[in-house]
Amino acid sequence: MAVRSSRRSRRAVIVGGSMSGLFTAAFLRRIGWEVDVFERSGVELVGRGAGITTHPELLAALEQCGAGTRDLGIEVEKRIAIDRQGRVIGERPLRQILTSWDRLQRLLRETIDPAHYHLGRTFERLEQDGQAVRVHFAEGGIEHADLLVGADGIRSGVRARVAPEVQPIYSGYYIWRGAPNEADLSRDTLESIFPYFVFFLPERQQVIGYPISGLDNDLRPAHRRYNFIWYQVGDAQQLQRMCVDENGHQHDHSVPPPLIRRDLIAQMRADAEQIMPPAFFDCLRHIAQPFFTPIYDFSAPRIVLGRVALVGDAASSSRPHMGFGVAKAGGDAQALALALAAHDDIDAALAAYEAERQPIGERIMLHGRKLGTHLGVGLKTDEDRKMWKRLQDFEAMMDWIAVPNFLAACR
Ligand SMILES: Cc1cc2nc3c(=O)[nH]c(=O)nc-3n(C[C@H](O)[C@H](O)[C@H](O)COP(=O)(O)OP(=O)(O)OC[C@H]3O[C@@H](n4cnc5c(N)ncnc54)[C@H](O)[C@@H]3O)c2cc1C
């Protein structure tokens, strides 16, 4: 195989145009690399996920890559825990900015010249010769680069080509979620929970909510939304049944929201009526299209394979209890660029990147499992059971879930 390499102007092909792909493009451009991003979606990525908790590491990465943090989101002053009747049973002052996936996408997307962001291009396979990479796309076309960055998420096709043995692991629980409009919520809901990061913690479940901007990053009162997340336990067989869609088609890992079976949604709403405090039930009632997301995690033992570097969820993905995935994506991208700037030799730079970030990804994943013990699934060790017991206290949950600086604390 003859692979063309260019040393004068170094070039990276980035597969995946979401958080980690955009961060990587922004940071690599800053060190003088030529970068092109290839995203399989044929249309601009909007409306994915919903709420994103922020951390100091994410804010720093946004500033340092040039995206900035303007109009990032809504700042809450405190966390509260409520009981079934909606009474406040605990409180923690903690200022935190809650943003949305759309806002981050917009800020990061503006850092990339549209001519270098290619929609409707699906990675298919690669060839590499130790010096350079040749990247093939399903729609046709081949790109040559000094480096291929796999930023294509938890089910990364790039990773599947270079490390097919690495597979995400189902946690044994899933979440129902959605984001009702502020304008639809009752006065009581607006006063009692809307301004806060709120926890309701029935046995083996978690309901968490916080305010986020409205569509088009509308931050005006009455135009915002409330991010609603409900964790429930369900084994692999139950998940498989849930993944049969409205038309009877079996999906592998999740079902596109419009195709989720109506009987599942009806059952979920009926279950909610039995256990939810009135304000959370009000939120759920006003979610037009609730959808579920099964929770998986994994950490790849190698995140550099020749001239392929994995970043973001393609490299490791944790359960979302820390709300740190996008911050990790920014950190991976920044570390990759710093290593490439510090070493003239690309392979030495990639080795430095892997040595720094692989252990961090693994640590984050393990921390997510620790926090996941709250749900009481797969408790194997005494340490798991100790942590499970500790997290049965809502005060501990407020101290551990999605808090800033957890990485330093869990060293
Ligand atoms: C329920 C839930 C809640 C979360 N909450 C938070 C939170 O509060 N805070 C936080 O920081 N993080 C949170 N996360 C995690 C966060 O969403 C992810 O860590 C982050 O989106 C990872 O970004 P990524 O770019 O690496 O991957 P992705 O966002 O998955 O993007 C991968 C991209 O690659 C594209 N792609 C895939 N295959 C190909 C291909 N073959 N060719 C071309 N393109 C391809 C996809 O279309 C996609 O656009 C949450 C996750 C979940 C599931």
Side-chain angles (χ1 to χ4, degrees):
M1 179 189 68
V3 176
R4 182 172 58 83
S5 164
S6 152
R7 274 292 177 269
R8 235 177 260 140
S9 157
R10 287 174 164 179
R11 178 169 194 242
V13 159
I14 299 173
V15 171
S18 170
M19 299 292 126
S20 58
L22 290 172
F23 263 126
T24 307
F27 276 117
L28 289 186
R29 257 171 36 96
R30 297 208 132 199
I31 61 160
W33 277 57
E34 197 187 304
V35 284
D36 280 274
V37 178
F38 295 88
E39 164 57 47
R40 90 178 149 194
S41 168
V43 292
E44 283 291 345
L45 304 175
V46 286
R48 290 199 173 181
I52 296 284
T53 51
T54 69
H55 292 265
E57 292 91 335
L58 174 61
L59 305 185
L62 287 167
E63 291 294 355
Q64 285 156 21
C65 80
T69 54
R70 66 189 182 283
D71 299 333
L72 191 60
I74 298 174
E75 189 176 54
V76 294
E77 281 174 17
K78 63 177 179 183
R79 302 172 155 214
I80 59 171
I82 59 174
D83 67 10
R84 165 78 172 90
Q85 282 67 42
R87 291 177 298 227
V88 177
I89 51 174
E91 203 171 304
R92 283 279 177 290
L94 179 60
R95 288 187 175 276
Q96 200 163 21
I97 299 173
L98 290 326
T99 185
S100 64
W101 192 93
D102 284 341
R103 182 62 189 152
L104 293 173
Q105 172 77 8
R106 182 82 56 93
L107 285 171
L108 287 163
R109 183 74 173 79
E110 283 168 7
T111 66
I112 315 292
D113 176 351
H116 293 285
Y117 187 90
H118 312 276
L119 289 167
R121 299 293 302 277
T122 309
F123 166 84
E124 192 175 64
R125 65 190 173 88
L126 67 105
E127 294 159 310
Q128 56 176 328
D129 67 357
Q131 294 293 307
V133 196
R134 202 151 69 166
V135 188
H136 298 252
F137 292 88
E139 298 77 12
I142 297 172
E143 296 287 331
H144 299 83
D146 300 286
L147 173 65
L148 167 60
V149 179
D152 50 346
I154 188 165
R155 308 245 164 232
S156 167
V158 173
R159 191 186 67 236
R161 288 285 174 183
V162 290
E165 68 286 358
V166 178
Q167 294 291 335
I169 301 162
Y170 178 52
S171 63
Y173 50 89
Y174 60 91
I175 57 176
W176 279 103
R177 54 179 172 152
N181 294 322
E182 180 180 2
D184 293 334
L185 300 176
S186 74
R187 177 190 281 266
D188 181 57
T189 304
L190 295 176
E191 285 171 2
S192 62
I193 66 167
F194 191 86
Y196 312 118
F197 195 115
V198 182
F199 295 80
F200 170 60
L201 302 165
E203 206 183 340
R204 303 192 92 199
Q205 300 179 51
Q206 294 174 21
V207 185
I208 293 175
Y210 53 80
I212 58 170
S213 61
L215 293 177
D216 286 331
N217 205 42
D218 202 332
L219 292 165
R220 291 172 301 161
H223 296 262
R224 300 167 295 183
R225 292 172 294 168
Y226 198 69
N227 194 53
F228 170 95
I229 306 166
W230 181 11
Y231 284 85
Q232 289 183 55
V233 171
D235 64 17
Q237 287 74 31
Q238 180 181 343
L239 179 61
Q240 201 180 8
R241 289 194 297 275
M242 290 174 75
C243 285
V244 176
D245 73 16
E246 185 63 19
N247 303 319
H249 175 72
Q250 177 78 58
H251 294 256
D252 286 339
H253 310 295
S254 62
V255 180
L259 294 177
I260 293 177
R261 284 202 326 273
R262 269 173 264 163
D263 65 289
L264 268 188
I265 294 177
Q267 184 61 52
M268 179 271 292
R269 290 191 193 280
D271 293 344
E273 202 162 359
Q274 302 301 315
I275 66 134
M276 290 274 170
F280 270 132
F281 189 62
D282 185 38
C283 292
L284 185 54
R285 271 194 324 122
H286 290 102
I287 298 172
Q289 192 167 73
F291 62 102
F292 67 88
T293 307
I295 303 301
Y296 289 84
D297 69 8
F298 81 97
S299 172
R302 304 291 316 274
I303 60 170
V304 169
L305 297 114
R307 285 297 179 87
V308 177
L310 303 173
V311 294
D313 276 16
S316 68
S317 178
S318 62
R319 303 177 187 187
H321 306 297
M322 292 84 69
F324 198 72
V326 184
K328 191 202 83 100
D332 286 350
Q334 186 166 25
L336 179 61
L338 285 173
L340 289 165
H343 297 82
D344 197 42
D345 178 54
I346 293 178
D347 299 302
L350 294 178
Y353 164 69
E354 179 170 68
E356 181 185 340
R357 294 303 292 184
Q358 194 282 337
I360 290 180
E362 192 161 311
R363 208 161 83 220
I364 296 169
M365 178 198 71
L366 292 174
H367 193 66
R369 288 184 182 174
K370 201 165 155 178
L371 300 194
T373 59
H374 170 264
L375 291 149
V377 182
L379 306 178
K380 292 195 188 91
T381 63
D382 283 348
E383 205 183 323
D384 289 346
R385 285 181 280 274
K386 224 166 99 187
M387 194 64 201
W388 168 79
K389 199 163 173 208
R390 190 166 180 184
L391 292 178
Q392 297 315 297
D393 177 2
F394 60 82
E395 303 273 0
M397 288 292 279
M398 285 197 290
D399 287 340
W400 285 72
I401 295 296
V403 287
N405 302 320
F406 75 90
L407 258 182
C410 75
R411 243 176 243 281

